[in-house]
Amino acid sequence: MLFHEIYGCYYESVARIIDQAIKGTLNEKIMHSIIQETAFSESFLTIEPALKNHQWPLLCDDMHTPVKHPSTMPLTLIEKRWLKAILLDPRIQLFDVSIKGLDDIMPLYQMDDIVYFDQYHDHDDYFDPAYIKNFKTIRKALHDQSSVSVYFVTGKGKRANIHGMPLQLEYSQKDDKFRLIIAYHHKKYTINISRILEVEIKEAFHYPKDVRTEEKKYFVMELVDERNALERVMLHFAHFEKEAKRLDENHYQVKVFYDGEDESELLIRVLSFGPFVKVIEPNHFINQIKRRLLSQKALSIK
């Protein structure tokens, strides 16, 4: 069932009124406001009289209620199916999330139903037992605030080892990879989880205040809010630090801060917005955009 009346605006409106009555803060002004916000413009002609004359025996004359607990809404079947599909994602399973209670629910979709056209294909193998073991060991070290010894293969194919303090795990949607951010000799390093051979948990640590980080890079772009460009930009750059300001009714300026290793991913994302976005600084980023556009033009000519 995709719809049930308990998810309609009348039920939502009455539920909010009851919640206020339970708190002891309900009055006629608040009741009118709730009805106006959650129901139809003419709904006060039905809801308010039905509550006041006890046709719906949910309110007392003093605006209190015999209901003891705030209202909660059960999940719909389609919500359960969506939740089951999300929880079956192998990336979610890395965090040991239980699907208890959804055993008999059919997922809304399978992971194979989704085709990513803007992602690299050399993604992490989330089913690899060694990958899963290393990932969970890092999670435990982060939770217990323990240092780790990480054995990994560098980008040049050489074996290396770092004994440091895990600071966080991050995920790149473009690369479809998880990375470990680790402090080593008072500097931060990034290691792809897929390059890690083994992780050993060592002693507990205290996070040092003098860990140096590379200065954040940034770029500034102006955009025209057509075809939901502003909403799409906010979504695409959601996990990056940014500053936004409105220039006029349809034009905005957004400043995005990023780590140097994410630059290629960001260039691709900016180009995906076409004529609705214009990068205005810095020159380094603008030149990168120009080079990519010229390369694309040369390919199209051939």
Side-chain angles (χ1 to χ4, degrees):
M1 179 183 294
L2 293 179
F3 176 77
H4 190 280
E5 62 180 0
I6 66 171
Y7 299 98
C9 61
Y10 273 36
Y11 275 78
E12 180 183 359
S13 184
V14 173
R16 291 194 185 186
I17 290 171
I18 293 172
D19 290 345
Q20 291 293 325
I22 292 173
K23 296 176 183 177
T25 57
L26 183 66
N27 55 44
E28 287 197 11
K29 183 178 180 181
I30 291 176
M31 184 188 295
H32 292 162
S33 176
I34 292 172
I35 295 172
Q36 185 176 5
E37 290 176 6
T38 58
F40 304 110
S41 58
E42 70 278 5
S43 296
F44 73 95
L45 296 173
T46 302
I47 296 176
E48 187 175 343
L51 289 172
K52 284 187 172 181
N53 63 23
H54 308 301
Q55 178 183 347
W56 299 343
L58 300 170
L59 280 184
C60 303
D61 293 333
D62 59 358
M63 291 290 183
H64 286 76
T65 177
V67 179
K68 301 297 182 183
H69 304 287
S71 57
T72 57
M73 300 294 283
L75 294 176
T76 64
L77 177 58
I78 198 166
E79 286 175 328
K80 291 180 180 178
R81 293 186 63 193
W82 173 83
L83 189 59
K84 178 73 171 285
I86 294 295
L87 294 179
L88 289 177
D89 188 316
R91 292 164 294 190
I92 298 295
Q93 288 300 306
L94 291 169
F95 296 90
D96 296 321
V97 180
S98 172
I99 60 173
K100 185 178 180 180
L102 298 173
D103 308 89
D104 299 329
I105 301 298
M106 181 183 296
L108 185 61
Y109 59 87
Q110 301 291 338
M111 294 305 299
D112 294 340
D113 295 336
I114 302 175
V115 177
Y116 296 94
F117 61 89
D118 57 350
Q119 246 183 21
Y120 294 115
H121 294 295
D122 61 336
H123 53 76
D124 287 355
D125 183 359
Y126 302 115
F127 297 99
D128 178 30
Y131 182 100
I132 296 171
K133 180 182 176 182
N134 291 333
F135 191 96
K136 293 185 177 182
T137 301
I138 293 169
R139 277 183 47 220
K140 177 173 172 51
L142 285 166
H143 180 270
D144 297 341
Q145 295 191 325
S146 300
S147 64
V148 293
S149 188
V150 182
Y151 301 86
F152 64 101
V153 179
T154 68
K156 296 181 179 180
K158 296 182 178 180
R159 290 176 175 254
N161 169 243
I162 285 182
H163 183 179
M165 298 165 294
L167 303 178
Q168 67 183 60
L169 285 164
E170 68 175 26
Y171 173 74
S172 169
Q173 184 177 11
K174 180 63 64 176
D175 295 330
D176 192 17
K177 294 178 182 291
F178 279 99
R179 303 164 180 157
L180 167 65
I181 312 299
I182 186 170
Y184 174 67
H185 285 181
H186 302 282
K187 291 184 67 176
K188 285 184 181 180
Y189 293 87
T190 302
I191 306 173
N192 287 344
I193 303 296
S194 58
R195 292 186 178 276
I196 295 176
L197 302 173
E198 186 180 0
V199 183
E200 295 178 355
I201 295 179
K202 300 297 184 179
E203 69 278 1
F205 72 87
H206 298 286
Y207 181 76
K209 296 181 179 180
D210 60 343
V211 173
R212 296 190 299 274
T213 60
E214 294 184 7
E215 186 175 350
K216 286 274 190 180
K217 293 186 176 183
Y218 75 92
F219 68 91
V220 181
M221 58 183 169
E222 292 183 352
L223 65 93
V224 183
D225 191 18
E226 296 179 6
R227 299 185 183 178
N228 292 324
L230 178 62
E231 181 180 344
R232 291 189 290 119
V233 163
M234 291 297 116
L235 178 62
H236 272 65
F237 300 98
H239 58 292
F240 291 96
E241 179 185 354
K242 56 191 170 294
E243 300 171 356
K245 64 179 180 180
R246 185 176 183 179
L247 303 177
D248 57 41
E249 186 174 350
N250 293 314
H251 293 80
Y252 297 81
Q253 187 179 97
V254 181
K255 185 175 185 178
V256 179
F257 299 89
Y258 64 96
D259 295 323
E261 62 193 25
D262 292 322
E263 189 164 85
S264 295
E265 177 179 342
L266 287 168
L267 286 165
I268 295 171
R269 292 193 184 195
V270 169
L271 286 168
S272 71
F273 286 92
F276 301 109
V277 165
K278 178 183 178 182
V279 177
I280 59 174
E281 62 173 287
N283 288 331
H284 162 73
F285 202 90
I286 295 172
N287 291 333
Q288 290 272 64
I289 294 283
K290 289 179 178 179
R291 276 196 290 269
R292 285 178 175 262
L293 290 173
L294 288 172
S295 297
Q296 290 178 10
K297 184 178 179 181
L299 289 172
S300 64
I301 291 175
K302 293 179 182 179

